[in-house]
Amino acid sequence: MDRVLLEGFVALSYGYPPRFRRGLGGLLRDGIRHRIDFERTRGGWVGLRTLALLTRDWGATMAREWSAVLEVNGSGVRPGPGEDVRGGEEPMQAWIHEVRSIIRVFIRRPSLGLTAASVLAVGIGATTLVGAVAWGVLVRPLPYPQPDALVMVWQADPQGGDRQNVAPGILSDIDDTRSVFDDATGMIFFSNGVSHRVGDRLLPATARQVLPDFFDFMGIRPLMGRTFLPSDGELGASPVVLLSHDTWTRHYEADPTIVGQSIEVRGGGAEVVGVLPEGFAFPGVSADFWVPLIWDPTIHFTMDPQQRRVGNLHVVARIRDGVPREQADREVTALARRISAEWDDAPADLDLELQSLSDFTTGSTRTTLWLLFAAVGGLLTLACSNVTTLYVSRALSRRGGLAIRAALGASRTTLVRRTAVETTLYAVLGGVMGVAAASSTFNLLLSRAPFSLPRQNELSVDVAFILIGFGATTVCAVLTAIAPCIHARSVVGGESLGVDGSRVTRGPNRLRRTLVGAEVAVTLVLLVASGLLLRSFENLRSIDVGLDTRNLLTLSIA
């Protein structure tokens, strides 16, 4: 009787859809046999009870499976070998269905999604912060017309030391070199330790002295008033001053009638002729006041516009269109030799060097920012590795369910699509959390930076900031989806579920071990780099400068 029941229901199983029958044929036979053995232990009418129960289950399963096929295909045509049970569904509807399903699962059991999103948020937030700073300081073009053509001109130290400023007479010679430089050249002289009076308060300030044509040369238009005229730089001219936007708003409450008023700067009165636009800083560092440079040899011999002996000027020039940088370097070297030969007061070993304005603005900060960006890149990689290991571990615990879905007709595309949608949604959630945290703390972290950042006044939460966060989120979504999708794809090939449902291959275990090894490797690299940085910092602190600096303070008097 048992054998008759068994063979009878095996024969009836041919009424199931082909993919269901092929996937669960062995399990169906074992299930019928176990049902017969169980009913035998209860005694009585074994055959009748077994027949009734199996008929009920068989009929319900048969109706459910063929209803799914008819609903998908519409025409009642059975899916062929390798065809997805949901094959008739529109691709967009399939993606929407997966998104809704995963959102429902997340609402019921949010622990996995919140853990993965929180780990990714740390890496994405740090990458967005450092990436935005690196972009704004190192990559974004300078806010001047033709910024790539702007160069700083220096006198080279014959002893191999730091670059030196340029003498005023050499500036005139550079201005006459029409074959290399454009018609205009600019000069800036740094002057610190000044003061200005606001009401009854005497406040410290920073000032920059520039040639009268400096702002026209740089293409800067004032927010209010005008810039300097050639007459403002003549000896005996009335003192005038330009205010920075920050000084205008902070100390003068953005007074729209400030132009034409007289203020006290450097111990004397000066007429305000204009207010500079917000964010202007040169070179990358802001100043409170800008005053015209007036040549007066009676103050000091270095203020003689014809002397070529001592350099005191920062010279900025614009290379002519079509002149390669290599040619400009050769022409400037030849110019230095002519100056040495023609002028007695010029250094005999004079040599001139060019430096791009971008390199001059960033200085040593370039290396620091790239190293910091590499460090947060390692942190992002570590976060992705942690989350990927979490996904793979969860997938291994659900391998039985994936195998049953595959046996019921789910294709590789279906399983991989669900895995990809899930990992992408969690990465997007982590990206939103990370970018939101980064944007809310951006200005605070910049103000607490351990070193001075050039172009800091140009940094803000803008479109570039959001795009960098989006890029970091995309990288996380791709990296965290690769391993789980490979595991989901391998299920369809019968690599995870054996015929009896009790065997699991070693492929996923090898994948998990590989991920753990990569995670340990990245962690070791970050630990070694952090240890080396701390050791270098400690070595710098322990350097003997030859002075006893205990209980000593420094101050400047305006």
Side-chain angles (χ1 to χ4, degrees):
M1 182 64 180
D2 296 347
R3 183 173 181 82
V4 172
L5 286 173
L6 177 62
E7 296 301 331
F9 277 99
V10 169
L12 289 175
S13 67
Y14 284 92
Y16 287 110
R19 288 190 58 104
F20 182 85
R21 186 177 66 248
R22 287 194 301 271
L24 293 182
L27 295 178
L28 182 63
R29 183 184 296 272
D30 293 340
I32 296 173
R33 184 183 293 110
H34 292 160
R35 171 63 72 176
I36 294 174
D37 294 339
F38 174 73
E39 293 296 336
R40 184 183 292 111
T41 60
R42 300 176 59 188
W45 297 91
V46 177
L48 291 178
R49 284 201 306 268
T50 304
L51 179 63
L53 292 172
L54 292 178
T55 301
R56 183 193 65 186
D57 295 341
W58 175 85
T61 305
M62 180 77 72
R64 183 176 64 252
E65 294 300 321
W66 276 111
S67 296
V69 173
L70 292 174
E71 178 184 355
V72 171
N73 291 338
S75 61
V77 179
R78 298 182 182 184
E83 186 177 348
D84 191 357
V85 172
R86 301 182 62 88
E89 190 174 24
E90 294 294 332
M92 184 56 65
Q93 294 177 354
W95 287 99
I96 295 175
H97 170 79
E98 297 293 357
V99 171
R100 290 176 177 173
S101 175
I102 292 169
I103 292 177
R104 287 195 298 268
V105 172
F106 174 76
I107 293 175
R108 291 196 302 267
R109 296 187 297 275
S111 57
L112 175 68
L114 289 178
T115 301
S118 300
V119 173
L120 293 178
V122 174
I124 293 173
T127 303
T128 303
L129 277 173
V130 179
V133 173
W135 164 265
V137 175
L138 305 178
V139 181
R140 179 183 292 167
L142 295 171
Y144 313 120
Q146 299 178 314
D148 294 337
L150 295 175
V151 293
M152 300 296 297
V153 185
W154 306 98
Q155 290 185 209
D157 186 358
Q159 306 300 326
D162 295 336
R163 297 183 178 98
Q164 300 175 355
N165 295 336
V166 177
I170 298 177
L171 171 61
S172 301
D173 299 327
I174 294 173
D175 189 23
D176 294 336
T177 312
R178 293 290 185 260
S179 60
V180 178
F181 299 109
D182 211 340
D183 295 340
T185 58
M187 184 276 299
I188 181 169
F189 175 78
F190 296 88
S191 176
N192 298 307
V194 300
S195 63
H196 75 291
R197 184 178 297 277
V198 179
D200 296 334
R201 297 178 301 164
L202 190 63
L203 303 175
T206 57
R208 304 287 185 263
Q209 290 179 304
V210 297
L211 287 177
D213 63 348
F214 172 79
F215 293 102
D216 291 336
F217 172 80
M218 300 301 298
I220 303 300
R221 297 293 177 264
L223 179 66
M224 298 171 54
R226 62 172 177 86
T227 57
F228 299 136
L229 301 175
S231 58
D232 294 330
E234 296 177 355
L235 190 62
S238 300
V240 294
V241 65
L242 281 168
L243 302 183
S244 68
H245 188 275
D246 181 66
T247 300
W248 176 55
T249 56
R250 181 159 44 96
H251 295 301
Y252 298 97
E253 300 179 351
D255 183 3
T257 63
I258 190 67
V259 176
Q261 296 185 22
S262 178
I263 63 175
E264 183 178 336
V265 180
R266 298 192 299 176
E271 180 187 354
V272 177
V273 295
V275 177
L276 294 174
E278 183 177 5
F280 172 74
F282 184 89
V285 180
S286 181
D288 298 316
F289 301 98
W290 300 77
V291 295
L293 175 58
I294 300 176
W295 298 113
D296 187 359
T298 61
I299 298 177
H300 195 267
F301 79 94
T302 57
M303 298 302 291
D304 184 354
Q306 301 301 321
Q307 66 91 10
R308 293 172 173 82
R309 185 180 308 171
V310 180
N312 58 354
L313 307 176
H314 286 67
V315 175
V316 58
R318 178 176 284 109
I319 299 177
R320 295 179 65 89
D321 292 338
V323 177
R325 174 63 183 273
E326 295 78 9
Q327 179 183 344
D329 291 332
R330 292 194 299 268
E331 293 287 345
V332 166
T333 301
L335 173 64
R337 294 173 182 172
R338 290 198 302 269
I339 294 175
S340 297
E342 295 176 1
W343 298 95
D344 295 335
D345 63 339
D349 52 359
L350 177 65
D351 189 16
L352 297 177
E353 293 182 0
L354 300 181
Q355 180 187 20
S356 68
L357 184 59
S358 176
D359 291 342
F360 173 66
T361 302
T362 57
S364 59
T365 309
R366 180 179 298 272
T367 302
T368 303
L369 286 179
W370 283 130
L371 288 176
L372 189 58
F373 186 73
V376 297
L379 177 63
L380 184 66
T381 304
L382 184 61
C384 291
S385 179
N386 283 330
V387 172
T388 302
T389 304
L390 179 65
Y391 287 159
V392 171
S393 299
R394 194 274 307 269
L396 291 176
S397 66
R398 295 170 52 187
R399 60 188 179 274
L402 293 176
I404 292 176
R405 290 190 64 193
L408 292 176
S411 65
R412 285 188 175 94
T413 303
T414 302
L415 297 181
V416 171
R417 179 175 59 213
R418 182 177 181 83
T419 302
V421 169
E422 185 177 23
T423 56
T424 300
L425 286 179
Y426 293 156
V428 170
L429 178 59
V432 171
M433 295 168 57
V435 172
S439 60
S440 61
T441 59
F442 186 66
N443 293 328
L444 176 63
L445 292 177
L446 286 180
S447 63
R448 301 289 180 87
F451 52 89
S452 178
L453 276 175
R455 307 181 66 182
Q456 184 170 339
N457 58 317
E458 301 177 31
L459 301 178
S460 62
V461 179
D462 52 7
V463 176
F465 187 96
I466 303 300
L467 290 178
I468 292 172
F470 175 78
T473 303
T474 303
V475 170
C476 288
V478 173
L479 292 181
T480 57
I482 293 176
C485 287
I486 292 176
H487 171 70
R489 188 177 185 275
S490 67
V491 172
V492 182
E495 300 170 4
S496 291
L497 183 66
V499 175
D500 59 353
S502 62
R503 177 172 57 84
V504 180
T505 59
R506 298 179 180 178
N509 292 326
R510 288 196 299 268
L511 178 61
R512 182 169 56 179
R513 288 196 296 269
T514 301
L515 289 173
V516 172
E519 182 178 347
V520 172
V522 174
T523 304
L524 286 177
V525 171
L526 291 178
L527 287 176
V528 171
S530 301
L532 292 176
L533 288 175
L534 289 175
R535 183 175 180 181
S536 300
F537 179 71
E538 184 62 28
N539 291 337
L540 288 175
R541 291 189 59 188
S542 61
I543 292 177
D544 185 7
V545 297
L547 299 174
D548 185 5
T549 59
R550 291 174 299 178
N551 300 326
L552 293 181
L553 299 175
T554 61
L555 56 91
S556 60
I557 300 177

